[in-house]
Amino acid sequence: MNKLKSYFALLFVTGLLSSCSSYDRSDFTTDRTNKGDMYNILYYASLSGSSHNSQPWRVEVYKEDSILVFTDSLRKLNVIDPKEREFYISIGAFIENLNLAAGSYGYNTEIRINNAVTDKNIPTATIKLSKCKKTDFQISDIEKRRTLHTAFDTTEIKGNDLEALIKSAPENIHYAPSSFINGKYVKKNTINSYAQQAKNKEAQDELAKWFRFSNRDVKEKRDGLTTSGLDLNGLSGFVVRNFFNPEDSKKESFVNKAIEKTQMQAENCAGWIIITQPKNDIEAWINSGRLYQRVNLKCRKLSLGFQPMNQMIEEKNYESEANSFLDYKGTIHFVARIGYVKDYPDPVSVRRPVESFTTFK
Ligand SMILES: Cc1cc2nc3c(=O)[nH]c(=O)nc-3n(C[C@H](O)[C@H](O)[C@H](O)COP(=O)(O)O)c2cc1C
């Protein structure tokens, strides 16, 4: 009897301990040593950011020289992204990581985008790879990139750092300091549009489908928004992980807490990165996704926290006003807050394994 009691006590303690910490990326490592270059390149591609961590890609690999990238329509966010802009921005981020990783493995890429994808069986991108000298891109930069939800420093960004962020595409990448009129506008309208979206029942239903609160869900799905990925640490992370289910995220108290947190985030940054494009089609969205990924990678190198906050352009009534008030050339595709952070934590958001989105032909 005593043995049985200690067995159950041990089970209880083990369960309690494992629910104390959230499963994160470090819990799902794969030995990639003998998997080949294509597998490794796709692993790094998959570490790109995506809206709600939906990871909406599917891939076919033909020998060592071509990769077809498809979208996975089951992973669309129809409520907050009906025009599919963010869907393709996420694909663009994947392609950018793929391109950088390929270079570092010694492959040149020739990327062709199909701007009129009408069928899920037609690839969005066809990527031809040819052997070349390895680039000096440090692949570990991809492993370190992340979205950060904590407060950032509000001190001005240094001129050199700003130049490094913008110089690859000054026509498309803009910076609005928080203390300037455009920055103040983005802050106010990000908070208000977030509150509007957070109270919208359809957006709540959609978001709830991507929450992975319990460790069991994280392990099973390896996508979506986890407590650690949202930087919900300590006691609040423990409570959400163990006592909340995704449906609870629709309750007024939860929604109000999320609005409060968004306000804190919008108020605690040095300024806003805004990506624009002259066009509004698949290719332009993919280009914005590639720029987003590049800026996020660069921010990490410069100890600048980076958090996409796109609600101002997701909510239709805010979007048109923002485009005319901010008056950049082209349309706004992407908004993110940035600011220096002292201790940059390691990335924690989880990813599906390469095998789950890839067919090797
Ligand atoms: C198009 C797009 C929109 C996003 N919008 C938000 C957002 O509104 N708020 C937020 O905190 N993160 C946002 N993100 C970041 C994703 O949630 C994040 O990339 C994903 O959870 C994976 O985490 P990681 O970037 O740390 O790898 C967005 C990302 C993309 C690509």
Side-chain angles (χ1 to χ4, degrees):
M1 190 62 186
N2 272 350
K3 261 192 178 168
L4 202 62
K5 266 191 192 159
S6 3
Y7 174 72
F8 280 118
L10 188 67
L11 264 188
F12 178 74
V13 171
T14 319
L16 196 66
L17 283 179
S18 72
S19 60
C20 274
S21 63
S22 164
Y23 280 170
D24 64 33
R25 193 177 299 172
S26 63
D27 292 296
F28 305 104
T29 50
T30 309
D31 181 4
R32 290 177 284 110
T33 18
N34 297 316
K35 299 271 192 185
D37 290 353
M38 293 301 117
Y39 186 101
N40 278 284
I41 290 168
L42 290 169
Y43 164 74
Y44 287 106
S46 78
L47 297 185
S48 56
S50 58
S51 196
H52 289 4
N53 197 19
S54 55
Q55 304 172 37
W57 39 78
R58 194 171 66 71
V59 167
E60 286 178 6
V61 178
Y62 291 84
K63 297 198 207 110
E64 290 289 292
D65 63 7
S66 71
I67 296 177
L68 305 186
V69 180
F70 300 81
T71 57
D72 181 344
S73 55
L74 296 174
R75 294 174 175 272
K76 269 188 202 165
L77 305 175
N78 293 315
V79 179
I80 62 157
D81 184 32
K83 290 196 181 147
E84 304 181 343
R85 179 176 60 211
E86 299 198 3
F87 189 58
Y88 284 104
I89 284 178
S90 303
I91 296 291
F94 179 89
I95 290 173
E96 182 60 17
N97 266 11
L98 192 158
N99 178 50
L100 292 168
S104 152
Y105 273 86
Y107 293 88
N108 191 23
T109 57
E110 192 193 309
I111 303 173
R112 275 211 272 125
I113 304 297
N114 180 350
N115 209 12
V117 187
T118 46
D119 185 303
K120 69 177 173 40
N121 298 315
I122 297 174
T124 301
T126 305
I127 304 174
K128 286 248 164 244
L129 296 113
S130 50
K131 271 278 178 200
C132 70
K133 192 167 161 276
K134 288 182 183 178
T135 60
D136 55 11
F137 174 76
Q138 285 174 296
I139 200 126
S140 58
D141 288 358
I142 290 183
E143 283 178 310
K144 289 188 198 143
R145 184 214 59 85
R146 61 164 296 164
T147 301
L148 196 53
H149 301 87
T150 53
F152 303 159
D153 213 322
T154 54
T155 50
E156 261 309 315
I157 311 283
K158 294 176 209 138
N160 285 352
D161 290 352
L162 212 48
E163 200 198 324
L165 292 182
I166 288 170
K167 73 174 176 200
S168 68
E171 291 272 300
N172 308 92
I173 306 171
H174 315 274
Y175 178 65
S178 290
S179 53
F180 284 30
I181 184 161
N182 279 3
K184 285 181 184 164
Y185 178 91
V186 178
K187 175 177 86 178
K188 182 174 129 217
N189 287 285
T190 295
I191 296 168
N192 292 343
S193 56
Y194 180 88
Q196 175 174 297
Q197 188 177 93
K199 290 175 188 161
N200 172 334
K201 295 272 172 267
E202 288 182 347
Q204 288 176 353
D205 287 341
E206 183 171 80
L207 180 60
K209 286 196 191 119
W210 288 99
F211 277 133
R212 311 284 181 246
F213 289 157
S214 70
N215 278 344
R216 202 181 58 191
D217 272 2
V218 179
K219 193 172 169 193
E220 205 178 287
K221 304 265 178 37
R222 291 174 61 173
D223 60 10
L225 303 167
T226 63
T227 55
S228 59
L230 292 166
D231 295 301
L232 270 177
N233 300 318
L235 184 62
S236 47
F238 176 82
V239 171
V240 171
R241 205 159 41 249
N242 294 292
F243 303 109
F244 281 63
N245 67 56
E247 285 299 298
D248 293 326
S249 67
K250 302 176 194 171
K251 290 186 180 152
E252 200 179 345
S253 55
F254 195 100
V255 168
N256 287 340
K257 273 261 168 271
I259 295 172
E260 255 173 52
K261 184 158 185 189
T262 299
Q263 177 157 2
M264 178 285 286
Q265 291 163 337
E267 283 170 353
N268 284 283
C269 63
W272 302 83
I273 288 286
I274 293 161
I275 298 177
T276 61
Q277 292 287 344
K279 287 196 175 170
N280 258 314
D281 55 20
I282 292 175
E283 193 161 18
W285 297 328
I286 286 178
N287 283 338
S288 288
R290 296 189 66 178
L291 290 180
Y292 140 61
Q293 202 58 26
R294 231 180 291 159
V295 174
N296 195 168
L297 285 163
K298 184 65 84 183
C299 278
R300 175 62 189 92
K301 266 200 135 33
L302 300 170
S303 290
L304 284 164
F306 183 100
Q307 182 189 12
M309 296 184 96
N310 274 335
Q311 289 72 26
M312 186 180 74
I313 51 167
E314 286 165 358
E315 295 295 296
K316 286 286 142 276
N317 49 332
Y318 284 86
E319 184 189 23
S320 44
E321 201 208 89
N323 273 294
S324 62
F325 182 91
L326 296 167
D327 200 23
Y328 294 116
K329 236 193 204 166
T331 313
I332 303 173
H333 282 187
F334 196 86
V335 181
R337 72 178 178 113
I338 61 169
Y340 291 106
V341 283
K342 290 201 179 59
D343 300 307
Y344 220 114
D346 285 336
V348 281
S349 64
V350 289
R351 292 296 184 278
R352 293 180 295 143
V354 171
E355 293 82 351
S356 75
F357 62 84
T358 307
T359 313
F360 291 90
K361 296 281 189 178

